[in-house]
Amino acid sequence: MTDERSSSADAGSDARDDPASTDSSDEPGADVESSGDETDASRLSLDRFHEACQQVGRPVLTADAVARSLERSQEAVSEDLEALAEAGSVQRLSVSNDPVVWYPSELEDLTEEERVVVFPKRREIVVDRPTQFTRAQLSQFAHLADGNGEEGYRYVVRPEDVWQAPHDEFEALARTMRQALGQRSEELEEWVRSQWERARQFRLYTHEDGYTVLEAQTPEVMGNVARQKLDEEHVHAPISDTEDWVREGAEAAIKRILYEAGYPVQDHRDLDAGDALEVDLEVSLRDYQRTWVDRFAEAGEGVFVGPPGSGKTVAAMGAMAEVGGETLVLVPSRDLARQWADAVVEYTSLGPHQVGQYHGGQKNVRPVTIATYQIAGMDRHRSLFDDREWGLVIFDECQHVPSDVYRRSTHLQSQHRLGLSASPIREDDRQTEIFTLVGPPIGTDWQALFDAGFVAEPELEIRYVPWGDDEQRNAYASAEGQEKYRIAARNRGKVDEVRFLLRDHHDAKALVFVDYLAQGRELAEALDAPFLSGETPHHERRRLLDEFRRNERDLLIVSRVGDEGIDLPTADLAIVASGLGGSRRQGTQRAGRTMRPAGGALVYVLATRGSREEEFARRQLQHLGRKGMTVRERTVDREPDGEEADSSEAT
């Protein structure tokens, strides 16, 4: 029988950043009002600092966390912490990508020092017990490839990491490297210098007559690289030995082609600045969000990359306030357009009359317009967006940009371009196009956010489930290719496993994810719970999700539409009955539905034991393991009474 894959017609991608989680009263960056004049008796002592640590449950605190714990103003607490630091009672750790944190001096005696080992030929760095400072410095020029917090962190220095390093001069980057490594690695430094220079060989600029020019540093690099890779589709004719006249609309293609050749292009064009629009952000940004916005403001382009719950949407509103120009936001679905419009009105100084939506449901172009990618890419609507000069274009869920449908919207070039993504990886390996069409990644180490308490690390467990009946087991044995995965994914034994987990966590608010409509309907019937899919009308989706948010409903069955294009509420428990064999990004998003500051969340991934699905689930979740999350594995054996028998577990 032919099965239906769950619809993603209304879908976008990735977990949504819950604006409610950034309410200024809960933010580490929110000010706490003083109840009165400060007195000597109320000043911060080392004992009171220890009390704050005990209350919060962490030995390392930001000044804001201490202020909230002691119900004092942030300014006063910061002054007291400085005084304690001068006396040697506490230590401060100030880094560029993470919050400033404070900890008792004696804590240093209880921890082992970090160890950094450099492998220059492999361009790898292994760090055991890295400090926040070291991780922040490494993130400026290296990629975290593996890290679980116990066996150490493995960083790889890739060309693209050097190309996007947030430094104007190489010597500044070299100093950052030496601070992170605690030493000078001449071989690695020389290679980094060569990549730094490659990133400055080409630039696009606007000629005084209004057309775009591609300029190379030398005639040799122009002749041996650009003029070998580009043709008449991209350039009209040479202007000089180092300059070519660029065809209108070919700029994005030129940037992509030269990027793939190992030469990223500096974009210095005089692009549309857009009409001025005064925007004030009415919530406080966390320190790392402020760092994202500052790096974006300096470069004029970039992609905010962070786990679900890290506040990418609010940071994007911070970028809107920084740019101060009319803004176009592109989203995958009308559901996200509505959520964006509500969030902009709630968290900025803009009123509803200044925010418009443009999609199948309504068509209003206003100073801030939220449109779907599909509409923006259609020829009959394109002029509506082209005719208005946008100071900022935001590409939400920008991992979709390289796809043929979505990339048509990237003709909208503005002075500032910003992408948002929890996981800008693609199974077709076209993620480099994201950074050439939108901008380089700007992000924070996931583990740093876990450690700082901004995002809770969920407990993630793969559970290998036995077959529910011999009919499916025999069908799997005789099937071939993708049919094997489909049968394993729809293993009826998973219904009993979902029942067991829900009974075991009876107080939890739960989301159950499926990849197949028939499986979703079967689970919905067995559990007497609603099934939310692409076939669910928009008004019905909104009602069900609102009931879940208000705690009027504690269980939803969700299809792939939950990964793409709607803002799912936070859950205590996520059960992935099928779907993680699809993509690494999907694994990130479904696990991410529990990544919020509250903590204590659980994610269970069900895979049929001994099938291809088992292999897929293990491989795809390695991506989360490399981001610092702990992934456990358990083989399930079920007794006739439904109780769990002995099982094997591996960490």
Side-chain angles (χ1 to χ4, degrees), residues 153-315:
Y153 296 75
R154 182 174 68 89
Y155 289 84
V156 178
V157 186
R158 307 169 302 179
E160 55 265 37
D161 301 317
V162 179
W163 298 344
Q164 67 204 26
H167 296 282
D168 294 328
E169 303 293 337
F170 175 74
E171 284 307 315
L173 174 57
R175 284 194 298 272
T176 296
M177 292 178 61
R178 294 164 196 165
Q179 289 172 343
L181 305 180
Q183 58 183 291
R184 180 173 183 175
S185 174
E186 293 188 4
E187 185 175 350
L188 180 60
E189 209 167 286
E190 188 58 34
W191 181 84
V192 169
R193 179 188 290 273
S194 70
Q195 293 301 319
W196 174 271
E197 292 173 352
R198 285 175 77 95
R200 285 148 184 82
Q201 293 298 311
F202 291 101
R203 75 175 182 125
L204 290 169
Y205 74 90
T206 302
H207 192 273
E208 61 182 12
D209 292 332
Y211 57 85
T212 301
V213 175
L214 174 66
E215 181 185 42
Q217 283 285 341
T218 65
E220 289 75 21
V221 75
M222 174 61 84
N224 295 332
V225 180
R227 289 174 182 164
Q228 296 294 322
K229 298 289 184 181
L230 306 176
D231 53 32
E232 63 273 9
E233 294 181 6
H234 308 107
V235 295
H236 287 289
I239 300 174
S240 69
D241 289 344
T242 59
E243 296 173 306
D244 278 359
W245 176 12
V246 173
R247 287 188 180 276
E248 185 177 358
E251 294 88 352
I254 290 173
K255 291 168 68 175
R256 175 176 53 81
I257 291 168
L258 293 180
Y259 188 101
E260 291 173 349
Y263 291 88
V265 179
Q266 303 288 309
D267 196 340
H268 295 163
R269 289 175 291 162
D270 298 331
L271 294 170
D272 294 337
D275 291 339
L277 178 66
E278 185 175 344
V279 182
D280 293 324
L281 189 63
E282 298 187 341
V283 292
S284 299
L285 292 177
R286 299 165 179 168
D287 287 356
Y288 67 85
Q289 290 172 318
R290 170 50 56 189
T291 299
W292 292 357
V293 173
D294 290 345
R295 288 181 60 181
F296 167 77
E298 182 179 351
E301 61 180 13
V303 177
F304 288 167
V305 179
S310 58
K312 296 182 293 297
T313 301
V314 172

Side-chain angles (χ1 to χ4, degrees), residues 60 93 95 98-101 130-137 448 451-452:
V60 179
L93 186 61
V95 297
D98 289 314
V100 175
V101 294
T131 63
Q132 275 190 311
F133 176 80
T134 298
R135 288 208 308 265
Q137 298 298 85
D451 292 346

